[in-house]
PDB file of all heavy atoms in Angstrom:
ATOM      1  N   ALA A  47      82.116 145.658  45.989  1.00 91.00           N
ATOM      2  CA  ALA A  47      80.962 146.506  45.653  1.00 91.00           C
ATOM      3  C   ALA A  47      81.271 147.978  45.905  1.00 91.00           C
ATOM      4  O   ALA A  47      80.944 148.858  45.094  1.00 91.00           O
ATOM      5  CB  ALA A  47      79.749 146.069  46.466  1.00 91.00           C
ATOM      6  N   LEU A  48      81.906 148.284  47.001  1.00 91.00           N
ATOM      7  CA  LEU A  48      82.256 149.678  47.294  1.00 91.00           C
ATOM      8  C   LEU A  48      83.289 150.211  46.317  1.00 91.00           C
ATOM      9  O   LEU A  48      83.285 151.405  45.961  1.00 91.00           O
ATOM     10  CB  LEU A  48      82.787 149.783  48.728  1.00 91.00           C
ATOM     11  CG  LEU A  48      81.773 149.464  49.845  1.00 91.00           C
ATOM     12  CD1 LEU A  48      82.435 149.561  51.214  1.00 91.00           C
ATOM     13  CD2 LEU A  48      80.574 150.412  49.775  1.00 91.00           C
ATOM     14  N   ALA A  49      84.186 149.320  45.830  1.00 89.00           N
ATOM     15  CA  ALA A  49      85.170 149.762  44.835  1.00 89.00           C
ATOM     16  C   ALA A  49      84.477 150.148  43.533  1.00 89.00           C
ATOM     17  O   ALA A  49      84.816 151.170  42.908  1.00 89.00           O
ATOM     18  CB  ALA A  49      86.199 148.666  44.598  1.00 89.00           C
ATOM     19  N   TYR A  50      83.515 149.360  43.067  1.00 87.00           N
ATOM     20  CA  TYR A  50      82.764 149.709  41.867  1.00 87.00           C
ATOM     21  C   TYR A  50      81.951 150.964  42.088  1.00 87.00           C
ATOM     22  O   TYR A  50      81.791 151.792  41.174  1.00 87.00           O
ATOM     23  CB  TYR A  50      81.832 148.552  41.470  1.00 87.00           C
ATOM     24  CG  TYR A  50      82.494 147.532  40.563  1.00 87.00           C
ATOM     25  CD1 TYR A  50      82.925 146.319  41.050  1.00 87.00           C
ATOM     26  CD2 TYR A  50      82.669 147.803  39.204  1.00 87.00           C
ATOM     27  CE1 TYR A  50      83.528 145.382  40.232  1.00 87.00           C
ATOM     28  CE2 TYR A  50      83.272 146.870  38.372  1.00 87.00           C
ATOM     29  CZ  TYR A  50      83.708 145.669  38.882  1.00 87.00           C
ATOM     30  OH  TYR A  50      84.318 144.759  38.059  1.00 87.00           O
ATOM     31  N   THR A  51      81.414 151.109  43.295  1.00 86.00           N
ATOM     32  CA  THR A  51      80.610 152.313  43.562  1.00 86.00           C
ATOM     33  C   THR A  51      81.482 153.564  43.508  1.00 86.00           C
ATOM     34  O   THR A  51      81.082 154.608  42.981  1.00 86.00           O
ATOM     35  CB  THR A  51      79.954 152.201  44.948  1.00 86.00           C
ATOM     36  OG1 THR A  51      79.136 151.040  44.988  1.00 86.00           O
ATOM     37  CG2 THR A  51      79.118 153.424  45.245  1.00 86.00           C
ATOM     38  N   GLY A  52      82.696 153.480  44.037  1.00 82.00           N
ATOM     39  CA  GLY A  52      83.548 154.657  44.079  1.00 82.00           C
ATOM     40  C   GLY A  52      84.230 154.968  42.758  1.00 82.00           C
ATOM     41  O   GLY A  52      84.492 156.142  42.449  1.00 82.00           O
ATOM     42  N   LYS A  53      84.525 153.956  41.917  1.00 83.00           N
ATOM     43  CA  LYS A  53      85.278 154.172  40.687  1.00 83.00           C
ATOM     44  C   LYS A  53      84.398 154.167  39.444  1.00 83.00           C
ATOM     45  O   LYS A  53      84.833 154.619  38.372  1.00 83.00           O
ATOM     46  CB  LYS A  53      86.355 153.096  40.534  1.00 83.00           C
ATOM     47  CG  LYS A  53      87.415 153.147  41.631  1.00 83.00           C
ATOM     48  CD  LYS A  53      88.452 152.054  41.427  1.00 83.00           C
ATOM     49  CE  LYS A  53      89.508 152.080  42.520  1.00 83.00           C
ATOM     50  NZ  LYS A  53      90.530 151.032  42.327  1.00 83.00           N
ATOM     51  N   GLY A  54      83.211 153.635  39.543  1.00 79.00           N
ATOM     52  CA  GLY A  54      82.332 153.582  38.372  1.00 79.00           C
ATOM     53  C   GLY A  54      81.748 154.946  38.031  1.00 79.00           C
ATOM     54  O   GLY A  54      81.563 155.802  38.915  1.00 79.00           O
ATOM     55  N   GLU A  55      81.448 155.178  36.754  1.00 83.00           N
ATOM     56  CA  GLU A  55      80.862 156.435  36.281  1.00 83.00           C
ATOM     57  C   GLU A  55      79.612 156.115  35.462  1.00 83.00           C
ATOM     58  O   GLU A  55      79.346 154.957  35.110  1.00 83.00           O
ATOM     59  CB  GLU A  55      81.862 157.194  35.428  1.00 83.00           C
ATOM     60  CG  GLU A  55      83.143 157.601  36.146  1.00 83.00           C
ATOM     61  CD  GLU A  55      82.895 158.650  37.229  1.00 83.00           C
ATOM     62  OE1 GLU A  55      81.865 159.341  37.146  1.00 83.00           O
ATOM     63  OE2 GLU A  55      83.735 158.761  38.154  1.00 83.00           O
ATOM     64  N   PHE A  56      78.870 157.203  35.148  1.00 82.00           N
ATOM     65  CA  PHE A  56      77.681 157.062  34.316  1.00 82.00           C
ATOM     66  C   PHE A  56      77.781 158.014  33.124  1.00 82.00           C
ATOM     67  O   PHE A  56      78.219 159.167  33.257  1.00 82.00           O
ATOM     68  CB  PHE A  56      76.419 157.385  35.124  1.00 82.00           C
ATOM     69  CG  PHE A  56      76.029 156.278  36.058  1.00 82.00           C
ATOM     70  CD1 PHE A  56      76.540 156.208  37.342  1.00 82.00           C
ATOM     71  CD2 PHE A  56      75.136 155.298  35.631  1.00 82.00           C
ATOM     72  CE1 PHE A  56      76.185 155.193  38.192  1.00 82.00           C
ATOM     73  CE2 PHE A  56      74.765 154.287  36.486  1.00 82.00           C
ATOM     74  CZ  PHE A  56      75.286 154.226  37.769  1.00 82.00           C
TER      75      PHE A  56
END
Side-chain angles (χ1 to χ4, degrees):
L48 295 178
Y50 272 103
T51 301
K53 296 180 181 181
E55 299 293 338
F56 284 88

